[in-house]
Amino acid sequence: MIENNIFGQRLHQARKMTGISLQELSDRLGLKVSKQSLSKYEKGLMKPSSSVLLELAKALNTKPDFFLKSKPLELGEI
């Protein structure tokens, strides 16, 4: 994976938490996105369109912003 590939890392994490393969995710997406494209997303070689991002979130039962946030924000004392 390419460094700073937050989207790819999160996609991989969500897919593994769901317990499905790249092919199974492609199938869940109605074959709109190939297994090869999903692999490239995870490796940081490609980025999905906003419509594909929404479909991925739906297929993986998560919110779209999960894929974009690098780390949770921690607030300290003021």
Side-chain angles (χ1 to χ4, degrees):
M1 275 191 215
I2 295 176
E3 278 189 49
N4 270 343
N5 176 25
I6 300 303
F7 175 80
Q9 291 169 0
R10 289 297 179 103
L11 176 59
H12 182 80
Q13 182 181 19
R15 185 173 61 77
K16 289 297 183 180
M17 286 189 310
T18 307
I20 61 173
S21 68
L22 288 169
Q23 185 61 56
E24 289 169 318
L25 180 54
S26 179
D27 293 344
R28 281 190 183 190
L29 295 168
L31 302 176
K32 293 176 188 172
V33 181
S34 70
K35 174 178 130 178
Q36 291 80 9
S37 291
L38 292 169
S39 177
K40 288 179 182 180
Y41 294 158
E42 287 190 3
K43 293 176 183 174
L45 302 175
M46 284 179 23
K47 297 281 185 192
S49 66
S50 57
S51 62
V52 170
L53 174 65
L54 293 174
E55 290 294 323
L56 285 167
K58 187 176 175 183
L60 293 168
N61 197 29
T62 190
K63 294 181 181 182
D65 64 343
F66 170 79
F67 298 109
L68 306 174
K69 291 182 181 178
S70 59
K71 293 183 181 176
L73 180 64
E74 293 182 27
L75 298 177
E77 290 185 38
I78 299 177

Short mmCIF file of all heavy atoms in Angstrom, two decimals, residues 19-61:
data_model
loop_
_atom_site.label_atom_id
_atom_site.label_comp_id
_atom_site.label_asym_id
_atom_site.label_seq_id
_atom_site.Cartn_x
_atom_site.Cartn_y
_atom_site.Cartn_z
N GLY A 19 -15.70 -9.44 6.64
CA GLY A 19 -15.34 -10.83 6.38
C GLY A 19 -15.57 -11.27 4.94
O GLY A 19 -15.89 -12.43 4.70
N ILE A 20 -15.38 -10.33 4.00
CA ILE A 20 -15.59 -10.69 2.60
C ILE A 20 -14.33 -10.44 1.78
O ILE A 20 -13.47 -9.66 2.15
CB ILE A 20 -16.79 -9.91 1.99
CG1 ILE A 20 -16.54 -8.40 2.01
CG2 ILE A 20 -18.08 -10.28 2.69
CD1 ILE A 20 -17.60 -7.60 1.28
N SER A 21 -14.27 -11.13 0.66
CA SER A 21 -13.14 -11.00 -0.26
C SER A 21 -13.39 -9.84 -1.23
O SER A 21 -14.50 -9.29 -1.28
CB SER A 21 -12.95 -12.29 -1.06
OG SER A 21 -14.06 -12.47 -1.94
N LEU A 22 -12.37 -9.51 -2.00
CA LEU A 22 -12.55 -8.49 -3.04
C LEU A 22 -13.63 -8.90 -4.03
O LEU A 22 -14.45 -8.09 -4.45
CB LEU A 22 -11.23 -8.24 -3.77
CG LEU A 22 -10.15 -7.49 -2.99
CD1 LEU A 22 -8.82 -7.55 -3.73
CD2 LEU A 22 -10.56 -6.06 -2.74
N GLN A 23 -13.64 -10.19 -4.39
CA GLN A 23 -14.65 -10.68 -5.34
C GLN A 23 -16.06 -10.57 -4.75
O GLN A 23 -17.00 -10.17 -5.43
CB GLN A 23 -14.36 -12.12 -5.75
CG GLN A 23 -15.32 -12.63 -6.83
CD GLN A 23 -15.25 -11.81 -8.11
OE1 GLN A 23 -14.18 -11.67 -8.70
NE2 GLN A 23 -16.37 -11.26 -8.54
N GLU A 24 -16.19 -10.91 -3.48
CA GLU A 24 -17.51 -10.82 -2.83
C GLU A 24 -17.98 -9.37 -2.75
O GLU A 24 -19.17 -9.10 -2.94
CB GLU A 24 -17.46 -11.44 -1.44
CG GLU A 24 -17.34 -12.95 -1.47
CD GLU A 24 -17.03 -13.57 -0.12
OE1 GLU A 24 -16.18 -13.01 0.62
OE2 GLU A 24 -17.62 -14.61 0.19
N LEU A 25 -17.06 -8.45 -2.51
CA LEU A 25 -17.43 -7.04 -2.49
C LEU A 25 -17.86 -6.59 -3.88
O LEU A 25 -18.87 -5.89 -4.03
CB LEU A 25 -16.27 -6.18 -1.97
CG LEU A 25 -16.53 -4.67 -1.91
CD1 LEU A 25 -17.79 -4.34 -1.12
CD2 LEU A 25 -15.32 -3.95 -1.33
N SER A 26 -17.14 -7.01 -4.89
CA SER A 26 -17.52 -6.70 -6.26
C SER A 26 -18.91 -7.23 -6.57
O SER A 26 -19.74 -6.54 -7.18
CB SER A 26 -16.49 -7.28 -7.23
OG SER A 26 -16.85 -6.99 -8.57
N ASP A 27 -19.19 -8.44 -6.11
CA ASP A 27 -20.51 -9.04 -6.31
C ASP A 27 -21.59 -8.23 -5.60
O ASP A 27 -22.66 -8.00 -6.16
CB ASP A 27 -20.54 -10.49 -5.80
CG ASP A 27 -19.66 -11.43 -6.61
OD1 ASP A 27 -19.26 -11.07 -7.74
OD2 ASP A 27 -19.36 -12.52 -6.10
N ARG A 28 -21.30 -7.78 -4.38
CA ARG A 28 -22.26 -6.96 -3.62
C ARG A 28 -22.56 -5.65 -4.34
O ARG A 28 -23.63 -5.08 -4.18
CB ARG A 28 -21.72 -6.63 -2.23
CG ARG A 28 -21.85 -7.74 -1.25
CD ARG A 28 -21.53 -7.24 0.14
NE ARG A 28 -21.57 -8.33 1.10
CZ ARG A 28 -21.53 -8.16 2.41
NH1 ARG A 28 -21.43 -6.95 2.92
NH2 ARG A 28 -21.57 -9.19 3.21
N LEU A 29 -21.59 -5.17 -5.08
CA LEU A 29 -21.76 -3.92 -5.82
C LEU A 29 -22.42 -4.16 -7.17
O LEU A 29 -22.47 -3.25 -8.00
CB LEU A 29 -20.40 -3.24 -6.02
CG LEU A 29 -19.71 -2.77 -4.74
CD1 LEU A 29 -18.28 -2.38 -5.01
CD2 LEU A 29 -20.47 -1.61 -4.12
N GLY A 30 -22.92 -5.36 -7.37
CA GLY A 30 -23.57 -5.68 -8.63
C GLY A 30 -22.61 -5.68 -9.80
O GLY A 30 -23.00 -5.38 -10.93
N LEU A 31 -21.35 -6.00 -9.51
CA LEU A 31 -20.28 -6.04 -10.52
C LEU A 31 -20.09 -4.69 -11.22
O LEU A 31 -19.54 -4.63 -12.31
CB LEU A 31 -20.53 -7.15 -11.54
CG LEU A 31 -20.64 -8.57 -10.95
CD1 LEU A 31 -20.98 -9.57 -12.03
CD2 LEU A 31 -19.36 -8.97 -10.25
N LYS A 32 -20.52 -3.60 -10.57
CA LYS A 32 -20.30 -2.25 -11.12
C LYS A 32 -18.83 -1.86 -10.99
O LYS A 32 -18.34 -1.01 -11.74
CB LYS A 32 -21.16 -1.22 -10.39
CG LYS A 32 -22.63 -1.39 -10.61
CD LYS A 32 -23.42 -0.40 -9.79
CE LYS A 32 -24.90 -0.70 -9.87
NZ LYS A 32 -25.67 0.10 -8.94
N VAL A 33 -18.16 -2.46 -10.00
CA VAL A 33 -16.73 -2.21 -9.77
C VAL A 33 -16.04 -3.56 -9.76
O VAL A 33 -16.43 -4.46 -9.01
CB VAL A 33 -16.51 -1.48 -8.42
CG1 VAL A 33 -15.04 -1.20 -8.21
CG2 VAL A 33 -17.31 -0.19 -8.36
N SER A 34 -15.02 -3.70 -10.58
CA SER A 34 -14.33 -4.99 -10.68
C SER A 34 -13.46 -5.26 -9.45
O SER A 34 -13.07 -4.34 -8.71
CB SER A 34 -13.44 -5.02 -11.92
OG SER A 34 -12.34 -4.15 -11.76
N LYS A 35 -13.14 -6.52 -9.27
CA LYS A 35 -12.24 -6.95 -8.21
C LYS A 35 -10.88 -6.24 -8.37
O LYS A 35 -10.27 -5.82 -7.40
CB LYS A 35 -12.09 -8.47 -8.29
CG LYS A 35 -11.09 -9.07 -7.36
CD LYS A 35 -11.08 -10.57 -7.52
CE LYS A 35 -9.68 -11.07 -7.69
NZ LYS A 35 -9.60 -12.52 -7.80
N GLN A 36 -10.43 -6.09 -9.61
CA GLN A 36 -9.15 -5.44 -9.89
C GLN A 36 -9.18 -3.97 -9.47
O GLN A 36 -8.21 -3.45 -8.91
CB GLN A 36 -8.79 -5.57 -11.37
CG GLN A 36 -8.45 -6.98 -11.80
CD GLN A 36 -9.69 -7.86 -12.04
OE1 GLN A 36 -10.82 -7.39 -12.06
NE2 GLN A 36 -9.46 -9.14 -12.25
N SER A 37 -10.28 -3.28 -9.76
CA SER A 37 -10.40 -1.87 -9.35
C SER A 37 -10.42 -1.74 -7.84
O SER A 37 -9.78 -0.85 -7.28
CB SER A 37 -11.67 -1.25 -9.94
OG SER A 37 -11.54 -1.12 -11.34
N LEU A 38 -11.14 -2.63 -7.17
CA LEU A 38 -11.17 -2.60 -5.71
C LEU A 38 -9.78 -2.81 -5.14
O LEU A 38 -9.39 -2.13 -4.18
CB LEU A 38 -12.13 -3.67 -5.18
CG LEU A 38 -13.61 -3.44 -5.47
CD1 LEU A 38 -14.43 -4.69 -5.14
CD2 LEU A 38 -14.13 -2.23 -4.73
N SER A 39 -9.02 -3.70 -5.74
CA SER A 39 -7.64 -3.93 -5.30
C SER A 39 -6.80 -2.67 -5.48
O SER A 39 -6.01 -2.31 -4.60
CB SER A 39 -7.03 -5.09 -6.08
OG SER A 39 -5.69 -5.28 -5.72
N LYS A 40 -6.99 -1.98 -6.59
CA LYS A 40 -6.25 -0.74 -6.84
C LYS A 40 -6.66 0.35 -5.85
O LYS A 40 -5.82 1.15 -5.43
CB LYS A 40 -6.45 -0.28 -8.27
CG LYS A 40 -5.73 -1.15 -9.28
CD LYS A 40 -5.96 -0.69 -10.69
CE LYS A 40 -5.25 -1.60 -11.69
NZ LYS A 40 -5.46 -1.17 -13.07
N TYR A 41 -7.92 0.38 -5.46
CA TYR A 41 -8.36 1.34 -4.44
C TYR A 41 -7.63 1.06 -3.13
O TYR A 41 -7.12 1.98 -2.49
CB TYR A 41 -9.86 1.24 -4.17
CG TYR A 41 -10.78 1.62 -5.31
CD1 TYR A 41 -12.08 1.15 -5.33
CD2 TYR A 41 -10.38 2.46 -6.34
CE1 TYR A 41 -12.96 1.51 -6.34
CE2 TYR A 41 -11.25 2.80 -7.37
CZ TYR A 41 -12.53 2.32 -7.36
OH TYR A 41 -13.40 2.66 -8.36
N GLU A 42 -7.58 -0.21 -2.74
CA GLU A 42 -6.92 -0.57 -1.48
C GLU A 42 -5.43 -0.26 -1.50
O GLU A 42 -4.86 0.11 -0.49
CB GLU A 42 -7.15 -2.05 -1.15
CG GLU A 42 -8.56 -2.35 -0.69
CD GLU A 42 -8.73 -3.76 -0.14
OE1 GLU A 42 -7.74 -4.52 -0.04
OE2 GLU A 42 -9.88 -4.09 0.22
N LYS A 43 -4.80 -0.40 -2.65
CA LYS A 43 -3.37 -0.14 -2.77
C LYS A 43 -3.04 1.33 -2.97
O LYS A 43 -1.87 1.71 -2.97
CB LYS A 43 -2.79 -0.96 -3.93
CG LYS A 43 -2.81 -2.44 -3.68
CD LYS A 43 -2.33 -3.21 -4.88
CE LYS A 43 -2.41 -4.70 -4.65
NZ LYS A 43 -2.07 -5.47 -5.85
N GLY A 44 -4.06 2.16 -3.17
CA GLY A 44 -3.83 3.58 -3.37
C GLY A 44 -3.45 3.94 -4.79
O GLY A 44 -2.97 5.04 -5.05
N LEU A 45 -3.68 3.05 -5.72
CA LEU A 45 -3.35 3.31 -7.12
C LEU A 45 -4.46 4.03 -7.86
O LEU A 45 -4.22 4.63 -8.91
CB LEU A 45 -3.02 1.99 -7.83
CG LEU A 45 -1.87 1.19 -7.21
CD1 LEU A 45 -1.72 -0.15 -7.92
CD2 LEU A 45 -0.58 1.98 -7.26
N MET A 46 -5.68 3.95 -7.32
CA MET A 46 -6.84 4.63 -7.90
C MET A 46 -7.73 5.13 -6.77
O MET A 46 -7.65 4.61 -5.66
CB MET A 46 -7.68 3.66 -8.76
CG MET A 46 -7.11 3.31 -10.09
SD MET A 46 -8.08 2.13 -11.10
CE MET A 46 -9.74 2.20 -10.53
N LYS A 47 -8.55 6.12 -7.08
CA LYS A 47 -9.55 6.62 -6.14
C LYS A 47 -10.92 6.45 -6.78
O LYS A 47 -11.08 6.68 -7.98
CB LYS A 47 -9.33 8.11 -5.83
CG LYS A 47 -8.03 8.42 -5.14
CD LYS A 47 -8.11 8.11 -3.68
CE LYS A 47 -6.83 8.54 -3.00
NZ LYS A 47 -6.70 8.04 -1.68
N PRO A 48 -11.93 6.09 -5.99
CA PRO A 48 -13.26 5.91 -6.55
C PRO A 48 -13.97 7.25 -6.76
O PRO A 48 -13.63 8.25 -6.12
CB PRO A 48 -13.98 5.10 -5.48
CG PRO A 48 -13.35 5.56 -4.22
CD PRO A 48 -11.90 5.79 -4.56
N SER A 49 -14.96 7.24 -7.62
CA SER A 49 -15.82 8.42 -7.79
C SER A 49 -16.70 8.53 -6.55
O SER A 49 -16.80 7.59 -5.75
CB SER A 49 -16.69 8.27 -9.03
OG SER A 49 -17.60 7.20 -8.85
N SER A 50 -17.36 9.66 -6.39
CA SER A 50 -18.22 9.84 -5.23
C SER A 50 -19.38 8.85 -5.24
O SER A 50 -19.79 8.35 -4.19
CB SER A 50 -18.73 11.28 -5.15
OG SER A 50 -19.41 11.63 -6.34
N SER A 51 -19.90 8.52 -6.41
CA SER A 51 -21.00 7.55 -6.48
C SER A 51 -20.54 6.16 -6.07
O SER A 51 -21.26 5.43 -5.39
CB SER A 51 -21.65 7.54 -7.87
OG SER A 51 -20.72 7.15 -8.85
N VAL A 52 -19.33 5.79 -6.46
CA VAL A 52 -18.78 4.48 -6.06
C VAL A 52 -18.51 4.48 -4.56
O VAL A 52 -18.77 3.49 -3.88
CB VAL A 52 -17.51 4.13 -6.86
CG1 VAL A 52 -16.81 2.91 -6.29
CG2 VAL A 52 -17.85 3.90 -8.32
N LEU A 53 -18.02 5.59 -4.02
CA LEU A 53 -17.78 5.69 -2.59
C LEU A 53 -19.07 5.42 -1.81
O LEU A 53 -19.07 4.68 -0.84
CB LEU A 53 -17.21 7.07 -2.24
CG LEU A 53 -17.04 7.36 -0.75
CD1 LEU A 53 -16.01 6.45 -0.13
CD2 LEU A 53 -16.67 8.81 -0.55
N LEU A 54 -20.17 6.02 -2.26
CA LEU A 54 -21.46 5.80 -1.60
C LEU A 54 -21.90 4.34 -1.70
O LEU A 54 -22.42 3.78 -0.73
CB LEU A 54 -22.52 6.73 -2.20
CG LEU A 54 -22.31 8.22 -1.94
CD1 LEU A 54 -23.33 9.04 -2.72
CD2 LEU A 54 -22.36 8.54 -0.46
N GLU A 55 -21.67 3.73 -2.84
CA GLU A 55 -22.02 2.31 -3.02
C GLU A 55 -21.16 1.42 -2.13
O GLU A 55 -21.66 0.43 -1.56
CB GLU A 55 -21.87 1.90 -4.48
CG GLU A 55 -22.89 2.51 -5.41
CD GLU A 55 -24.31 2.02 -5.15
OE1 GLU A 55 -24.49 0.83 -4.83
OE2 GLU A 55 -25.23 2.84 -5.25
N LEU A 56 -19.89 1.75 -2.00
CA LEU A 56 -19.00 0.98 -1.12
C LEU A 56 -19.46 1.05 0.33
O LEU A 56 -19.51 0.05 1.03
CB LEU A 56 -17.56 1.49 -1.23
CG LEU A 56 -16.80 1.12 -2.49
CD1 LEU A 56 -15.53 1.94 -2.61
CD2 LEU A 56 -16.49 -0.37 -2.52
N ALA A 57 -19.81 2.26 0.76
CA ALA A 57 -20.28 2.45 2.13
C ALA A 57 -21.54 1.62 2.38
O ALA A 57 -21.67 0.96 3.41
CB ALA A 57 -20.54 3.93 2.40
N LYS A 58 -22.44 1.64 1.43
CA LYS A 58 -23.68 0.87 1.56
C LYS A 58 -23.39 -0.63 1.60
O LYS A 58 -23.91 -1.35 2.45
CB LYS A 58 -24.59 1.21 0.37
CG LYS A 58 -25.96 0.63 0.45
CD LYS A 58 -26.78 1.13 -0.74
CE LYS A 58 -28.14 0.49 -0.80
NZ LYS A 58 -28.91 0.93 -1.97
N ALA A 59 -22.54 -1.11 0.71
CA ALA A 59 -22.21 -2.53 0.64
C ALA A 59 -21.49 -3.02 1.89
O ALA A 59 -21.63 -4.18 2.28
CB ALA A 59 -21.35 -2.81 -0.60
N LEU A 60 -20.73 -2.13 2.53
CA LEU A 60 -19.95 -2.50 3.71
C LEU A 60 -20.62 -2.07 5.01
O LEU A 60 -20.04 -2.16 6.09
CB LEU A 60 -18.54 -1.93 3.61
CG LEU A 60 -17.70 -2.54 2.48
CD1 LEU A 60 -16.44 -1.73 2.24
CD2 LEU A 60 -17.37 -3.99 2.77
N ASN A 61 -21.84 -1.55 4.88
CA ASN A 61 -22.65 -1.15 6.03
C ASN A 61 -21.91 -0.16 6.94
O ASN A 61 -21.80 -0.36 8.15
CB ASN A 61 -23.10 -2.38 6.82
CG ASN A 61 -24.25 -2.06 7.75
OD1 ASN A 61 -25.05 -1.17 7.48
ND2 ASN A 61 -24.34 -2.79 8.85
#
